[in-house]
Amino acid sequence: MNPYADELIFSDVLFTFKKGDHMKADLIIKDVYVFNAYFKKFIYGDVSILNGRFLYIGKDCHEKISARKIIQGNKKYLIPGLIDIHMHIESSMTTPTNFANAVIKNGVTTVVADPHEIANVFGIEGIKAMINSDRQHIMDIFYGIPSSVPSTSAKIETTGGQIGIKEVSELIKNDRIWCIGEVMNFKDLVYSEDSLINNIIKLIKKEKPHFKIEGHCPKISGLDLARYIYQGVDADHTQQTPKSIEEKILNGMFLEIQEKSMTEENMEYLISNDLYEHFCFVTDDTMADKLITSHLNGLVKKAIGMGMKPEMAVYASTFIPARRMNFYDRGSIAPGKIADFILLDDLKSFSINEVYKNGQLACKDIGGKKEHEFPDHFYKSIKMNPVSDSDFSVKAPVKEGKVKCRIMKVQSDSTFTKEESDFVEVKDQRLSFETSKYALITVFNRYDNTKKRSYGLVSGSIIERGAVASSYAHDHHNLMVMGRNTEDMKVAANWVIKNNGGYCAALDGKVVASLALPVGGILSEEPIESIALNLKEVRMALKELGYKHNNEIMSFSTLSLPVSPELKITDKGLIRVNTQEIVSLFCE
């Protein structure tokens, strides 16, 4: 008996056959190269499907089984549907329904979403709203319980919601909840036995011992890494190096490789050391302008292009993630497994011909634009009046002269920053950022109208003129504004406030590109194509303003993420990530 049977999706329809009966199936696909996950190779034959599950795979299906429908496979490649076990729907800035419509076409049939973005805005109500809005079943969306809401503590950042023991106890009763989302607060995990995160883990070990606990541990090694894993967190999806891959796998940690970790040296290490049982591919964050053309399939295609055997790239995006997440009913093509599969025209180019979900052709849009899938107050979550020039006036500790300031230096190929320092001019006790070589960054508490805010200075691969503002600021999603002058910062910020959330770029006192995100300040119900177009315009505007980064949107949005090294900013102030302390803009 399967101890997790009550947690899995099994058919409640049983079929019995009398001796001599000719077996019947719903569908037979003839003459295909079928990926066998157990031998990690393709085998030529036929595939039969009954009641949404694979029935018989062999070279003589049509001789032993009659089917309502027979499809000629024409020697295409048949592989399981792709499974993404670590991602955030909110990163696409769309709703679960629209996300499903977009991603199914890319061959992804199952995802495990960590809804910690919506949870930071609305708490457990936001998680429930995400689950309840997704009832179309064009693909399977399971959810992880956000374990770090807020990502650090209320002393360091202000959020609209929190997830505690009470909320976790309620959520684990939902059959769509499948794991514990990424644990980000390293300090509380390893240094405080009675911390919230440790109490959550204790509850899970008692009530749902089979639940996986996802991790987030960049640049953690040695004894710290051992203590992190010892507490029960045994997976990591953050940016890796060959050294971190080796150490983490040596310590029994499972790795979820997202695109930024797919460097030549990392891929060579994974391939040459035959580590396929210890990692899978995940997307983590996929923006709308990329989602319309690629998702997890893009990583599989990239892996093949980087020298990974196609069979192993498929293995690392189907069978291994299924096994990691206790999905015993999918991830392979075998009798009794859910018939989620892809027909590929070509294996090496990973060219998708058709996608099937539960044995049915799945690449069909399940409906047009849907409005107000969420509670009414979700559309009025920016609790701020318009900002003015004075909100960007930074009082300095000296009246005239220069003052030494901490600087966040943005890197062009990472979401990490460096902490530096430099002297900046002061006039009439106000910081003269507009005449300096630095941009001013301001984070406002959007959850009340007090205009509580913090200030920082930014250098590196950022805008050289104009301003950008967004309510999509990881993970607290307060209103964050960065600019070279007060007027453009005011224009960009007020556009976001007026539209109940979004992204806005401004130059010379005018809006040059924008994207409205009225659902909680982080989502849009517009068609994904419309979101993608507007997001692309914002991205291009940031490039025109001088931003030099491989993902300008994510780079800006994560300047407020206080669990991502090295120096970040929240509405409470500048955060030194490694020590989890608030530090002053002005150096002593």
Side-chain angles (χ1 to χ4, degrees):
M1 179 179 292
N2 191 324
Y4 309 147
D6 63 325
E7 300 291 338
L8 299 176
I9 301 175
F10 288 109
S11 172
D12 58 0
V13 180
L14 298 177
F15 292 86
T16 58
F17 298 91
K18 296 178 181 179
K19 188 175 182 179
D21 281 351
H22 193 71
M23 291 190 69
K24 297 180 180 180
D26 298 318
L27 175 66
I28 290 178
I29 302 174
K30 294 184 61 178
D31 302 321
V32 285
Y33 290 99
V34 184
F35 180 70
N36 185 283
Y38 309 102
F39 277 81
K40 305 180 186 67
K41 66 180 182 179
F42 285 90
I43 301 173
Y44 188 73
D46 306 332
V47 175
S48 62
I49 295 164
L50 175 65
N51 194 39
R53 293 176 180 271
F54 295 114
L55 173 62
Y56 176 69
I57 299 94
K59 295 181 179 180
D60 51 358
C61 273
H62 61 285
E63 296 177 5
K64 298 181 178 181
I65 299 172
S66 61
R68 297 191 185 104
K69 185 177 182 179
I70 297 177
I71 295 175
Q72 179 54 248
N74 295 319
K75 297 184 179 180
K76 292 182 176 66
Y77 293 86
L78 193 151
I79 67 171
L82 303 181
I83 300 174
D84 189 352
I85 61 171
H86 183 88
M87 51 80 62
H88 310 279
I89 292 175
E90 303 99 312
S91 294
S92 65
M93 301 178 185
T94 190
T95 63
T97 297
N98 286 340
F99 171 83
N101 273 333
V103 81
I104 192 72
K105 300 169 186 176
N106 293 317
V108 181
T109 54
T110 301
V111 300
V112 180
D114 183 342
H116 69 213
E117 313 297 354
I118 198 78
N120 270 278
V121 180
F122 294 115
I124 191 172
E125 184 185 18
I127 299 171
K128 289 180 177 179
M130 288 286 282
I131 295 174
N132 292 335
S133 72
D134 162 38
R135 292 297 181 191
Q136 301 295 337
H137 304 297
I138 193 172
M139 63 175 291
D140 290 333
I141 302 178
F142 297 92
Y143 291 87
I145 299 175
S147 64
S148 304
V149 179
S151 62
T152 52
S153 73
K155 294 180 181 179
I156 289 179
E157 57 185 317
T158 301
T159 60
Q162 296 185 349
I163 300 299
I165 293 295
K166 178 182 177 182
E167 290 78 13
V168 173
S169 298
E170 181 177 346
L171 287 167
I172 59 176
K173 299 172 185 176
N174 192 305
D175 60 8
R176 299 280 294 284
I177 296 294
W178 213 254
C179 67
I180 295 298
E182 57 185 291
V183 174
M184 294 185 278
N185 195 341
F186 167 80
K187 186 177 179 181
D188 279 0
L189 180 74
V190 302
Y191 293 118
S192 178
E193 184 178 347
D194 197 38
S195 64
L196 173 59
I197 185 56
N198 278 320
N199 285 327
I200 288 174
I201 290 174
K202 290 173 187 175
L203 173 66
I204 292 304
K205 287 181 176 180
K206 178 181 178 182
E207 300 293 334
K208 297 284 183 178
H210 60 285
F211 266 28
K212 298 297 185 181
I213 303 175
E214 296 289 276
H216 175 113
C217 55
K219 296 188 175 182
I220 296 174
S221 62
L223 179 58
D224 283 343
L225 177 64
R227 294 178 69 178
Y228 187 88
I229 299 171
Y230 181 84
Q231 295 301 104
V233 189
D234 63 350
D236 181 41
H237 71 282
T238 59
Q239 192 165 355
Q240 307 296 340
T241 65
K243 183 178 179 180
S244 71
I245 290 172
E246 178 181 44
E247 182 180 16
K248 287 172 182 176
I249 292 179
L250 279 171
N251 280 278
M253 183 168 258
F254 185 82
L255 296 184
E256 295 160 354
I257 303 296
Q258 56 173 298
E259 188 167 13
K260 65 184 179 183
S261 286
M262 293 179 70
T263 62
E264 292 288 347
E265 56 269 27
N266 285 349
M267 295 298 287
E268 170 62 25
Y269 190 87
L270 291 167
I271 294 168
S272 62
N273 286 282
D274 194 25
L275 295 170
Y276 296 101
E277 308 301 315
H278 307 291
F279 79 91
C280 71
F281 294 116
V282 300
T283 60
D284 195 20
D285 300 296
T286 305
M287 299 291 179
D289 53 345
K290 185 174 181 179
L291 180 62
I292 58 174
T293 59
S294 177
H295 193 252
L296 188 57
N297 59 316
L299 274 65
V300 177
K301 184 176 179 178
K302 183 173 183 176
I304 295 171
M306 296 180 77
M308 186 174 288
K309 289 179 61 177
E311 292 87 346
M312 303 316 297
V314 171
Y315 188 67
S317 55
T318 57
F319 185 77
I320 290 298
R323 189 169 68 179
R324 159 68 188 173
M325 205 52 69
N326 292 329
F327 286 131
Y328 301 115
D329 58 353
R330 67 194 71 201
S332 61
I333 299 167
K337 305 296 184 184
I338 293 175
D340 296 348
F341 62 94
I342 307 169
L343 285 173
L344 298 172
D345 287 320
D346 180 72
L347 184 58
K348 288 187 177 180
S349 66
F350 210 73
S351 176
I352 295 175
N353 180 279
E354 291 180 330
V355 181
Y356 284 75
K357 180 77 185 77
N358 298 323
Q360 301 288 325
L361 188 63
C363 288
K364 295 180 180 179
D365 199 294
I366 56 176
K369 179 184 175 184
K370 290 180 172 60
E371 295 184 344
H372 287 272
E373 295 183 58
F374 297 87
D376 288 345
H377 65 279
F378 276 41
Y379 303 88
K380 300 175 182 178
S381 66
I382 308 295
K383 308 295 185 182
M384 288 181 61
N385 289 328
V387 298
S388 62
D389 291 351
S390 63
D391 292 310
F392 302 103
S393 178
V394 185
K395 185 177 180 180
V398 297
K399 189 172 182 179
E400 300 286 342
K402 292 184 178 181
V403 63
K404 192 175 184 181
C405 299
R406 286 189 173 83
I407 312 293
M408 284 194 297
K409 185 175 182 180
V410 175
Q411 303 179 61
S412 62
D413 58 352
S414 172
T415 55
F416 297 163
T417 66
K418 291 289 185 181
E419 179 179 342
E420 297 183 343
S421 62
D422 195 9
F423 287 92
V424 178
E425 291 282 350
V426 175
K427 186 176 181 180
D428 296 328
Q429 210 169 356
R430 299 294 164 181
L431 200 65
S432 299
F433 80 92
E434 290 179 316
T435 58
S436 77
K437 57 183 178 180
Y438 303 110
L440 177 69
I441 189 165
T442 306
V443 179
F444 294 88
N445 177 353
R446 58 165 271 198
Y447 297 105
D448 59 39
N449 196 30
T450 60
K451 284 191 179 176
K452 291 179 181 177
R453 58 195 178 276
S454 65
Y455 300 106
L457 293 172
V458 192
S459 70
S461 305
I462 59 167
I463 58 173
E464 298 170 352
R465 56 201 180 110
V468 56
S470 182
S471 55
Y472 199 106
H474 286 284
D475 278 337
H476 46 75
H477 301 299
N478 284 297
L479 175 60
M480 182 165 63
V481 194
M482 179 173 70
R484 294 290 183 168
N485 66 84
T486 296
E487 180 62 23
D488 287 337
M489 293 178 76
K490 183 175 64 174
V491 168
N494 283 335
W495 187 94
V496 174
I497 294 169
K498 181 180 178 181
N499 287 274
N500 285 299
Y503 243 99
C504 181
L507 179 65
D508 297 331
K510 297 179 181 179
V511 171
V512 293
S514 59
L515 167 64
L517 300 171
V519 183
I522 60 174
L523 301 179
S524 170
E525 292 176 319
E526 292 294 320
I528 189 74
E529 292 80 10
S530 176
I531 300 172
L533 177 61
N534 289 332
L535 185 65
K536 184 177 180 181
E537 290 176 352
V538 172
R539 193 185 297 279
M540 294 307 297
L542 293 183
K543 289 180 182 291
E544 288 293 321
L545 296 179
Y547 219 122
K548 298 179 179 66
H549 198 276
N550 56 17
N551 190 338
E552 303 82 8
I553 302 294
M554 184 60 68
S555 172
F556 177 62
S557 292
T558 54
L559 292 181
S560 64
L561 182 59
V563 294
S564 176
E566 185 171 73
L567 184 68
K568 295 296 173 74
I569 186 170
T570 73
D571 63 304
K572 302 282 189 174
L574 289 170
I575 310 299
R576 185 172 287 149
V577 175
N578 289 346
T579 59
Q580 287 293 288
E581 62 180 326
I582 298 174
V583 295
S584 173
L585 167 62
F586 305 107
C587 302
E588 294 180 2

